[in-house]
Amino acid sequence: MNTGHLKGKTPAECILSVVGVSWSHFTRRHQLWLEEVYVFSPNSGRSVYRQAAMGSFLCCLASEVFAYETTKSVVVKSYPVGIINRVVQLLIIAYFVGWVFICEKAYQVTDTGIESSVMTKVKGFGYHHGQVMDVADYVYPPQGAAVFCIITKLIITEDQFQGRCPESGVPYNCTKDEDCYKYYGSNLSNGAHRSSSIHHSHTLTPAVRQARMESQISREEPNTTGYGIPLNLDSNVFDDKYVMKQMNTGHLKGKTPAECILSVVGVSWSHFTRRHQLWLEEVYVFSPNSGRSVYRQAAMGSFLCCLASEVFAYETTKSVVVKSYPVGIINRVVQLLIIAYFVGWVFICEKAYQVTDTGIESSVMTKVKGFGYHHGQVMDVADYVYPPQGAAVFCIITKLIITEDQFQGRCPESGVPYNCTKDEDCYKYYGSNLSNGVITGRCLNTSDSQGWCETEGWCPAEREKRDNVTIKPMLDVKNFTIFIKNSITFPLFHVTRGNFPSNMTSAEIKRCTYHPQNSPFCPIFRVSDVLKYTGQRVEDLAEKGGEIGINIVWKCNLDLHVDNCVPKYSFRRLDAPFAKNAVSKGYNFRFAKYYKTDNGTEFRTLYKAYAIRFEVMVTGNAGKFDTIPTLINLVTAFTSIGLGTVLCDIILLNFLKDAKQYKAKKFEEVSEAQVESFLAQTPGSQTSLNPGIKSSYDSGAISLSPTDGYNGLTT
């Protein structure tokens, strides 16, 4: 400090020089801080300089980290451009507000994994084959499923026995055994083959197909390009004598050969620099002996040079760095929150780096086991499971009301609404679908003061309505077990899984019962446990019936081993909204079994079944790492970091005391007159710009070429 290179410097400047930190990073405030804290004397040790260096480094780091960087904007005060800009902005805002947010409700999180339960009932009576048909006759399947059929016509073939008999239908007539050999293995026998049209193909002939193809081909070709260069280069506009004449006396007089070529082919000179002109003059010698190919090549070369000049230009934004600690801290905090959201939620929780397969393919097979007492007899699966084929939707019947020996005929209706004293009392029930048959309009008096309206149909009327019986349900259903076999496939990844381990033995399956913690992969479920998981009691459901959903959820992360792709079960009551209703409570359906007497008269036994309906549903998805969604979400994350700039710009432009100075630095106003005068200047004479800076013709942004230096950016 006395005689060396630090002579004449302050203690703070000496410290900065010794530790090698540039003074340009520090303000007068930092220098005074160093002078106040550290007393520069020969007795001070190395720790003073070490602490000074650390403090200087931290100040430098904070100054850089908490600096706020934003883009510089150019405000062009031009009414046409401004109007177009605002109109486009208003259209975009209207689209997002009107369609995206109001119509599509994009502000909501959407649950597409709906679990649904549907129960149907059909009412009505009709005549077919000379008898009255009710729901037990014409509805199939009878258990009230979402998909059902109403039979409109029955073709009945009675009294079929096992044996041999002649086939019917024209194709099967014969005169000898050899005529029948060609029908071996035919699936169209028994009169099912009614039409021979399947042997004829109504296809187009080759001539018709060719004519249609030719009529659909468009032979029109464009005749110009975007730059106005004629594609028909054999036009007279490229005639040598015509061009030479125009160079001597016409509108091309005084122009160079390159300028003549560009003018003839209709390419604007403003797209080319002096380099393009020299290139044309060197390559193409303009003489009367040159052919049309010279001009064709010149036009193509000029077009390619113009295209390369525009395509390979690089445009970037100009930034303004605001060294303000409050704004810089806000900016960094917002950026950290956005980064934490994308890392924690988007990538870790939602696994947005994976490609997802939601098109799960599933197969479900069920079996029920158990025995119970009902109507004084033992019931097994063939008695109480309907339908019996082990589908994903099945019913366990808990109570049966049986009406035996019903014949077609007329009999009194049952139930309070249908009592009467005279025929007129029954007229209001004409066409009713709530009776046991078709109301005839007659009142059948069974006593002096009480009668019942007459119905035509299956007689006697249903026992529940007639006798008002009370039947105890089969409570043994709580001990029944349900075996579920589920196989799924994720076709995108070619992964197939089953709902229980492949190495599980038959003995293990017979001993196990599903439990969420102790035995989560056992495929056998006790009915009482399933109802307990849904919060229901067997006694309540056995009396009126109900609907229970068993949902198998497959959520698989295939970045891990495939053995980790296992199912999870959930249970709930599907008809819970109707459990406490006064009407349509529970679940029941009707079906019938038909018989014949010795003399051929048909009769039936009608069953009204109350049941617990189980529906096994399979949902899920699988994900696996993929480059494309990873890159898309990374780009989204980096783009979202810019939201901090929006917030900081609002603060700087509206709430800080130096907002006017910031506006002056951030926004550069250009009037329409300045734009017109700038565009009117010829290349190379742009006096309004700093030397070495050129204007980009495509967007108006200021660009800097590598050979021009960086003086324009330091200002």
Side-chain angles (χ1 to χ4, degrees):
M1 287 183 65
N2 295 325
T3 60
H5 67 282
L6 299 179
K7 185 178 181 179
K9 294 184 178 292
T10 65
E13 291 174 324
C14 292
I15 293 173
L16 294 174
S17 179
V18 169
V19 300
V21 182
S22 174
W23 173 250
S24 62
H25 290 287
F26 296 89
T27 64
R28 178 64 181 168
R29 181 179 59 184
H30 301 150
Q31 180 182 358
L32 294 176
W33 171 76
L34 289 172
E35 291 176 350
E36 292 174 1
V37 175
Y38 303 109
V39 179
F40 210 87
S41 66
N43 297 325
S44 59
R46 291 186 179 91
S47 60
V48 174
Y49 309 103
R50 188 181 298 112
Q51 294 176 11
M54 181 60 66
S56 301
F57 172 75
L58 293 177
C59 289
C60 176
L61 181 64
S63 176
E64 296 299 324
V65 169
F66 296 110
Y68 169 61
E69 181 177 328
T70 183
T71 58
K72 186 171 182 178
S73 303
V74 177
V75 180
V76 181
K77 291 192 173 182
S78 171
Y79 282 105
V81 178
I83 292 172
I84 293 173
N85 180 43
R86 297 306 180 195
V87 169
V88 173
Q89 289 177 345
L90 287 174
L91 290 176
I92 293 174
I93 292 173
Y95 164 75
F96 275 93
V97 172
W99 176 257
V100 176
F101 286 98
I102 296 179
C103 296
E104 293 296 318
K105 295 181 176 60
Y107 55 85
Q108 294 180 336
V109 61
T110 305
D111 182 6
T112 57
I114 183 173
E115 297 177 359
S116 173
S117 171
V118 176
M119 191 198 78
T120 58
K121 277 191 177 183
V122 180
K123 294 288 186 180
F125 304 94
Y127 286 92
H128 191 52
H129 288 286
Q131 61 184 20
V132 176
M133 306 279 284
D134 62 12
V135 291
D137 301 319
Y138 60 72
V139 174
Y140 193 86
Q143 65 268 25
V147 180
F148 60 93
C149 306
I150 296 180
I151 298 172
T152 58
K153 185 169 72 171
L154 280 173
I155 299 176
I156 303 173
T157 304
E158 299 178 315
D159 300 334
Q160 284 190 321
F161 296 89
Q162 285 287 324
R164 295 189 178 188
C165 59
E167 184 55 270
S168 61
V170 175
Y172 301 100
N173 51 14
C174 59
T175 57
K176 55 185 181 298
D177 292 346
E178 288 74 7
D179 295 338
C180 302
Y181 293 165
K182 58 183 177 181
Y183 298 117
Y184 278 156
S186 173
N187 293 325
L188 304 177
S189 57
N190 289 318
H193 188 196
R194 296 298 185 186
S195 174
S196 60
S197 61
I198 59 173
H199 301 297
H200 302 284
S201 59
H202 298 283
T203 57
L204 297 175
T205 63
V208 175
R209 284 200 302 271
Q210 182 67 22
R212 291 194 178 182
M213 290 174 62
E214 292 177 355
S215 66
Q216 296 174 358
I217 298 176
S218 174
R219 301 181 180 275
E220 297 181 0
E221 297 179 354
N223 54 12
T224 59
T225 67
Y227 284 98
I229 304 177
L231 291 179
N232 185 9
L233 296 179
D234 292 332
S235 173
N236 291 332
V237 74
F238 288 99
D239 184 69
D240 301 339
K241 296 180 180 180
Y242 169 79
V243 175
M244 290 300 298
K245 181 179 178 181
Q246 295 298 324
M247 286 184 64
N248 295 328
T249 60
H251 67 282
L252 301 179
K253 185 177 181 180
K255 293 185 178 293
T256 64
E259 292 174 323
C260 294
I261 293 173
L262 294 173
S263 178
V264 170
V265 299
V267 181
S268 173
W269 172 250
S270 63
H271 291 287
F272 296 89
T273 64
R274 178 65 180 167
R275 182 179 60 186
H276 300 151
Q277 180 181 357
L278 293 175
W279 172 75
L280 288 171
E281 290 177 350
E282 291 174 2
V283 175
Y284 302 110
V285 180
F286 209 88
S287 65
N289 296 326
S290 61
R292 292 184 176 91
S293 62
V294 174
Y295 312 107
R296 184 182 298 111
Q297 294 176 10
M300 182 58 67
S302 302
F303 171 75
L304 293 177
C305 287
C306 173
L307 182 64
S309 176
E310 298 297 327
V311 169
F312 297 108
Y314 170 66
E315 179 178 323
T316 185
T317 57
K318 189 174 182 180
S319 300
V320 177
V321 178
V322 181
K323 293 197 174 183
S324 170
Y325 282 107
V327 179
I329 291 173
I330 293 174
N331 182 42
R332 297 306 182 195
V333 168
V334 173
Q335 289 177 346
L336 286 175
L337 290 176
I338 294 173
I339 292 172
Y341 164 75
F342 274 92
V343 173
W345 177 257
V346 176
F347 284 97
I348 295 179
C349 295
E350 293 296 316
K351 295 182 176 59
Y353 56 86
Q354 293 181 334
V355 61
T356 305
D357 183 5
T358 58
I360 184 173
E361 298 175 356
S362 172
S363 171
V364 175
M365 189 201 77
T366 59
K367 279 187 178 182
V368 181
K369 295 289 186 179
F371 302 92
Y373 285 92
H374 192 51
H375 286 287
Q377 61 184 17
V378 176
M379 307 278 284
D380 62 12
V381 291
D383 301 318
Y384 59 73
V385 174
Y386 199 88
Q389 60 265 30
V393 181
F394 61 93
C395 306
I396 297 180
I397 298 173
T398 58
K399 186 170 70 171
L400 280 173
I401 298 176
I402 304 173
T403 305
E404 297 179 317
D405 300 334
Q406 284 188 319
F407 291 84
Q408 282 285 322
R410 296 189 176 192
C411 57
E413 184 57 272
S414 60
V416 176
Y418 300 100
N419 50 16
C420 61
T421 57
K422 55 185 182 298
D423 292 346
E424 287 76 7
D425 295 337
C426 300
Y427 294 165
K428 59 183 177 182
Y429 299 116
Y430 277 150
S432 173
N433 291 327
L434 301 178
S435 58
N436 287 301
V438 178
I439 300 295
T440 62
R442 292 181 57 193
C443 180
L444 301 178
N445 292 319
T446 58
S447 65
D448 295 338
S449 59
Q450 185 66 41
W452 300 94
C453 296
E454 183 185 56
T455 62
E456 182 180 5
W458 292 99
C459 294
E462 188 175 328
R463 183 185 174 192
E464 183 183 29
K465 297 180 180 179
R466 183 179 75 245
D467 300 337
N468 195 19
V469 295
T470 300
I471 297 176
K472 185 178 179 181
M474 183 174 59
L475 299 180
D476 299 317
V477 67
K478 63 184 178 183
N479 296 320
F480 295 173
T481 58
I482 303 170
F483 170 72
I484 299 176
K485 184 167 71 173
N486 172 225
S487 63
I488 57 100
T489 300
F490 293 107
L492 183 63
F493 305 117
H494 305 289
V495 173
T496 300
R497 298 290 293 164
N499 66 321
F500 55 89
S502 57
N503 58 358
M504 182 177 283
T505 64
S506 175
E508 291 175 339
I509 290 181
K510 291 179 180 179
R511 290 196 306 266
C512 75
T513 302
Y514 172 82
H515 188 274
Q517 284 80 36
N518 300 332
S519 185
F521 304 126
C522 179
I524 297 178
F525 303 80
R526 191 176 299 276
V527 172
S528 59
D529 293 338
V530 172
L531 298 182
K532 182 179 68 175
Y533 298 145
T534 62
Q536 306 297 317
R537 296 173 63 248
V538 175
E539 292 77 11
D540 297 335
L541 288 179
E543 181 65 34
K544 290 293 185 180
E547 298 177 78
I548 302 297
I550 302 175
N551 192 13
I552 307 176
V553 181
W554 295 84
K555 288 190 178 293
C556 300
N557 182 5
L558 297 182
D559 292 331
L560 306 176
H561 195 276
V562 70
D563 288 342
N564 294 312
C565 180
V566 293
K568 291 185 178 180
Y569 299 90
S570 61
F571 312 88
R572 72 182 187 91
R573 183 170 180 178
L574 298 178
D575 63 335
F578 312 102
K580 296 182 180 180
N581 284 13
V583 295
S584 189
K585 182 178 180 180
Y587 174 73
N588 63 80
F589 61 94
R590 292 174 174 84
F591 64 97
K593 295 181 180 179
Y594 298 88
Y595 310 93
K596 281 189 176 181
T597 62
D598 294 338
N599 60 4
T601 303
E602 187 179 43
F603 67 99
R604 74 176 189 181
T605 298
L606 178 65
Y607 300 87
K608 182 177 181 181
Y610 291 88
I612 302 175
R613 177 182 174 184
F614 292 89
E615 184 169 350
V616 182
M617 300 167 286
V618 182
T619 58
N621 57 70
K624 193 173 185 179
F625 173 81
D626 191 75
T627 307
I628 294 177
T630 303
L631 292 178
I632 290 175
N633 285 281
L634 283 176
V635 171
T636 304
F638 291 137
T639 305
S640 300
I641 292 176
L643 293 175
T645 305
V646 177
L647 178 61
C648 293
D649 278 348
I650 294 174
I651 296 173
L652 284 171
L653 291 172
N654 298 281
F655 300 105
L656 293 187
K657 60 181 180 179
D658 297 330
K660 292 184 178 180
Q661 297 180 8
Y662 173 69
K663 289 180 181 178
K665 292 290 185 180
K666 180 175 175 63
F667 298 104
E668 179 182 346
E669 294 188 358
V670 180
S671 65
E672 190 171 1
Q674 289 175 313
V675 174
E676 293 177 355
S677 63
F678 174 74
L679 293 177
Q681 296 172 3
T682 58
S685 62
Q686 304 170 14
T687 57
S688 62
L689 298 176
N690 291 333
I693 299 180
K694 298 183 178 58
S695 173
S696 171
Y697 283 85
D698 58 347
S699 64
I702 295 175
S703 60
L704 182 68
S705 65
T707 60
D708 290 330
Y710 296 94
N711 294 330
L713 292 180
T714 59
T715 60

